[in-house]
Amino acid sequence: STQTFSYQAGAGVEVTIPADAQGIIALNDPNAAKMLDLLQTRAYSAGYTDTLVSIPFREFMEVRGLKDIKSAKEQARKAIDALDSLSFTFTDKKGNMQRIALSQRTSGVSGRGIYFRYNQDYFGYLRATREKTEYPEAMQRLSGRAYFFARWIIDQKRRNLGRDGNIENRVSVAKLLEIGGLPRPDEVPSGHIKKRITAPFDKALEDIVSNGDIIAGFTYRHSGGRELTDEETETMWTDYNLFKSLVIETEWGSMEPEYSQIRERRAAHKAIAAASTTPKKRGRPKKQPVK
């Protein structure tokens, strides 16, 4: 489901952006989502020093695993056009609704490179937050469904760092079904659950494993982490309700996001909170002796 998040962009201006549950701009187009993530990763790596982000075209083709220059340019142009058309609502002090664009709409694609200039207000938000989501560039080669799955798996780790029960390495099948664009059981012919839903779901996860070393493997488990029985392992592919109730437990590869800065910040916050908490005195105060 889509939510919104807001931030202050200048005096008296609040920008409201449609976003998914992680605060990432909601995009249904995987080509545009990949471009947005790539641009923001590059902007972060450059220290948010310039609103203009440029990517050499040959480098873009290598990152995406593309061989044909013509089709690569078409992909890049469509993605840039989609990002150039993104705009968000904002209100001023008087309550007037206006719109702000993601970009300055001076972006372009040439044989030499991809050029994208952020709107200054939105770029200011990126520079102020500086909370990086670590999307390995190997993800750029994934198909649309596999890309959205990998994105969610990585974001799940960021949201749940250090929580008990290995939560940071588990994602719900129900959520992946939701974001993967797969049909519901009542939308497929009888007896086609595996062919149309569970098998394509599993293939998207296998694609992540085989493209780069983001995750080295995954296991289907019950929501609490309990293993499936042999019978459940057989029936889960055709039993939609069982399949939907499961979780995926990931085994990370060499590209596992460290999130070291976030870990350190959260540990520091916990330490400060613990130090500032004074134990409450219990019981009645002692009576002073009568002089």
Side-chain angles (χ1 to χ4, degrees):
S1 59
T2 301
Q3 61 175 22
T4 61
F5 72 93
S6 301
Y7 67 93
Q8 294 299 128
V13 176
E14 183 179 79
V15 179
T16 302
I17 298 182
D20 61 23
Q22 303 81 53
I24 305 299
I25 294 175
L27 284 174
N28 293 324
D29 177 0
N31 182 39
K34 287 181 186 181
M35 183 66 80
L36 177 65
D37 293 341
L38 182 61
L39 290 167
Q40 294 195 175
T41 299
R42 295 298 175 93
Y44 177 92
S45 298
Y48 296 115
T49 54
D50 195 336
T51 56
L52 178 65
V53 179
S54 60
I55 304 172
F57 201 76
R58 287 288 181 185
E59 191 174 319
F60 169 75
M61 290 183 64
E62 183 178 346
V63 167
R64 283 280 184 98
L66 302 172
K67 303 297 182 185
D68 182 74
I69 295 178
K70 184 177 179 181
S71 64
K73 281 185 179 178
E74 184 68 14
Q75 275 193 41
R77 284 197 184 97
K78 285 183 177 179
I80 291 296
D81 286 346
L83 298 184
D84 267 348
S85 68
L86 272 181
S87 60
F88 320 112
T89 60
F90 72 91
T91 54
D92 60 21
K93 283 183 177 179
K94 297 180 180 179
N96 297 320
M97 297 289 293
Q98 299 184 44
R99 301 187 75 80
I100 187 172
L102 174 74
S103 78
Q104 296 281 30
R105 294 196 171 101
T106 56
S107 309
V109 177
S110 73
R112 298 188 65 181
I114 297 166
Y115 307 92
F116 184 84
R117 187 174 292 280
Y118 282 101
N119 177 290
Q120 183 63 57
D121 286 333
Y122 180 76
F123 192 75
Y125 160 74
L126 290 178
R127 188 162 45 199
T129 56
R130 287 182 175 272
E131 184 158 306
K132 179 192 175 189
T133 300
E134 299 181 13
Y135 298 130
E137 288 194 353
M139 282 174 57
Q140 293 282 322
R141 297 185 177 220
L142 297 174
S143 66
R145 180 173 296 133
Y147 187 83
F148 285 135
F149 280 10
R151 198 191 213 199
W152 184 267
I153 289 167
I154 288 172
D155 289 338
Q156 172 77 353
K157 186 173 185 68
R158 174 176 57 82
R159 287 193 304 275
N160 295 287
L161 287 173
R163 286 186 58 188
D164 295 338
N166 200 31
I167 300 300
E168 68 183 68
N169 298 317
R170 290 191 186 134
V171 295
S172 78
V173 167
K175 186 60 187 180
L176 294 181
L177 285 167
E178 180 185 326
I179 67 175
L182 289 157
R184 296 189 304 272
D186 58 356
E187 296 174 331
V188 302
S190 178
H192 283 65
I193 296 293
K194 181 176 181 178
K195 181 179 179 180
R196 297 285 301 279
I197 303 175
T198 59
F201 180 103
D202 191 70
K203 183 181 183 303
L205 291 171
E206 290 288 0
D207 285 348
I208 302 172
V209 174
S210 61
N211 280 271
D213 200 15
I214 303 165
I215 59 173
F218 59 93
T219 307
Y220 291 94
R221 294 185 180 275
H222 287 287
S223 58
R226 180 169 54 87
E227 293 184 3
L228 277 67
T229 65
D230 291 342
E231 182 180 354
E232 288 171 331
T233 302
E234 290 293 326
T235 61
M236 58 180 271
W237 305 109
T238 54
D239 184 341
Y240 183 82
N241 289 331
L242 171 60
F243 189 77
K244 186 178 179 180
S245 72
L246 303 177
V247 298
I248 303 296
E249 186 169 281
T250 55
E251 301 162 34
W252 292 95
S254 61
M255 295 178 187
E256 177 180 5
E258 293 181 3
Y259 291 129
S260 54
Q261 291 181 342
I262 300 176
R263 287 185 190 276
E264 289 169 8
R265 187 165 64 248
R266 290 184 182 176
H269 288 168
K270 284 183 180 179
I272 292 170
S276 63
T277 303
T278 55
K280 293 182 179 179
K281 293 181 179 179
R282 296 186 178 183
R284 295 179 180 179
K286 293 182 179 179
K287 290 183 179 181
Q288 297 297 319
V290 178
K291 295 182 179 179

